[in-house]
Amino acid sequence: MVGMRPTDLPPTATVKFFGAGMAACVADLATFPLDTAKVRLQIQGEAQFAEGASGMRYRGVFGTITTMVRTEGPRSLYNGLVAGLQRQMSFASVRIGLYDSMKQFYTRGSENAGIVSRLMAGCTTGAMAVAFAQPTDVVKVRFQAQVRVADGVKRYNGTMDAYRTIARNEGVRGLWKGCLPNITRNAIVNCAELVTYDIIKELILKHDLMTDNLPCHFTAAFGAGFCTTIVASPVDVVKTRFMNSSPGQYSSAINCAVTMLTKEGPTAFYKGFMPSFLRLGSWNIVMFVSYEQIKRAMMRTQLSWESPV
């Protein structure tokens, strides 16, 4: 191993697992305000019909952010950050970190993975991740949707209080609310995100357009973010509405989707599309670039331990 560079060695499954979680946390820290703005835009039609409001509270991505900072303070943009980071450490580690291992499982160890094997690997790790991280996702969405009213009363006082309150008021099942639409969403997101990144990066390297470095990772990540937003937005809106709903408001995720369609029309499924794209595009860029660098750094550290000078 003497003289071997970290780029010469493929990262181990453990490196990918922990590297994915850390990279996702970095991406969440960088893009969380956009995610919060997306959630507020996605649920505002619901609030409008429930409260009989006459006008739109939020208008556009940056209008939403400006309104939130003015009315609730800048900290409101990071409502649910703790749950968000908890979610990424458990969620991204599985769905991204285990993707290559699952791809090898479906191809029986072959290096030449077809599109079907990649899609199956993406669906599998996306669904597996929900089994670990659904409660953290529910709490994150509830916090992001929580508007601080004039008298300072808040729905939840802290992350642990949110877990306890939801379990007490809605039962343990409340923490798994929206699990089916979330499995659907994450299977779609994982396939669009990881498979698109995988294919774009592979094509760039195959045709010698770029080397396996930052510009290549940036380009592949941007393409993955755009494709993912188009495919996943409708499911994402339904997931957000259903997870944030009060008990009994919707009988199921399908009922939520039908209610949205009849009351607000088909465009409701693409509410918050611009913040979704800004968020997913920027999230993908930060996450994949960080992930590639973290993997290399971890392999470099491992090599230095195994081959001390």
Side-chain angles (χ1 to χ4, degrees), residues 31-75:
T31 62
F32 208 79
L34 290 170
D35 193 41
T36 303
K38 177 202 76 173
V39 169
R40 293 291 180 94
L41 283 166
Q42 285 177 341
I43 65 165
Q44 74 173 351
E46 175 181 64
Q48 186 184 1
F49 281 102
E51 298 163 15
S54 56
M56 288 292 187
R57 181 181 175 85
Y58 305 115
R59 295 184 184 277
V61 188
F62 299 109
T64 302
I65 291 172
T66 305
T67 301
M68 288 180 66
V69 170
R70 190 177 65 249
T71 58
E72 302 171 54
R75 287 183 63 185

Side-chain angles (χ1 to χ4, degrees), residues 70-82:
R70 190 177 65 249
T71 58
E72 302 171 54
R75 287 183 63 185
S76 65
L77 296 173
Y78 283 90
N79 276 347
L81 178 63
V82 174

Side-chain angles (χ1 to χ4, degrees), residues 169-247:
N169 295 345
E170 303 172 43
V172 176
R173 287 182 64 185
L175 289 168
W176 299 90
K177 193 170 192 177
C179 194
L180 185 60
N182 212 13
I183 285 175
T184 307
R185 175 193 179 269
N186 284 304
I188 293 169
V189 165
N190 228 34
C191 286
E193 199 171 77
L194 295 179
V195 175
T196 306
Y197 179 82
D198 210 8
I199 290 171
I200 293 173
K201 182 183 170 185
E202 193 176 272
L203 288 171
I204 288 171
L205 297 176
K206 183 180 177 181
H207 295 286
D208 293 322
L209 300 174
M210 298 176 192
T211 56
D212 188 3
N213 228 314
L214 202 142
C216 170
H217 305 156
F218 182 95
T219 306
F222 184 85
F226 183 74
C227 293
T228 305
T229 311
I230 292 172
V231 172
S233 270
V235 186
D236 192 33
V237 175
V238 173
K239 182 209 81 163
T240 301
R241 292 277 186 100
F242 187 61
M243 279 171 29
N244 185 56
S245 63
S246 54

Side-chain angles (χ1 to χ4, degrees), residues 119-137:
L119 289 171
M120 287 172 67
C123 285
T124 305
T125 58
M128 282 168 60
V130 175
F132 290 100
Q134 182 67 6
T136 61
D137 206 11

Side-chain angles (χ1 to χ4, degrees), residues 14-25:
T14 306
V15 165
K16 290 176 185 176
F17 186 84
F18 288 107
M22 286 190 283
C25 285

Side-chain angles (χ1 to χ4, degrees), residues 24-39 61-62 81 84-85 87-88 91 95 137 140 144 185-186 189 193 221 225-226 228-229 236 239 272-287:
C25 285
V26 172
D28 245 30
L29 283 167
T31 62
F32 208 79
L34 290 170
D35 193 41
T36 303
K38 177 202 76 173
V39 169
V61 188
F62 299 109
L81 178 63
L85 296 178
R87 173 181 179 266
Q88 292 300 354
F91 185 75
R95 79 176 184 90
D137 206 11
K140 178 184 82 79
Q144 289 176 314
R185 175 193 179 269
N186 284 304
V189 165
E193 199 171 77
F226 183 74
T228 305
T229 311
D236 192 33
K239 182 209 81 163
F273 179 83
M274 190 49 71
S276 285
F277 173 59
L278 285 173
R279 200 260 174 176
L280 268 176
S282 56
W283 193 92
N284 271 271
I285 290 165
V286 176
M287 195 284 296

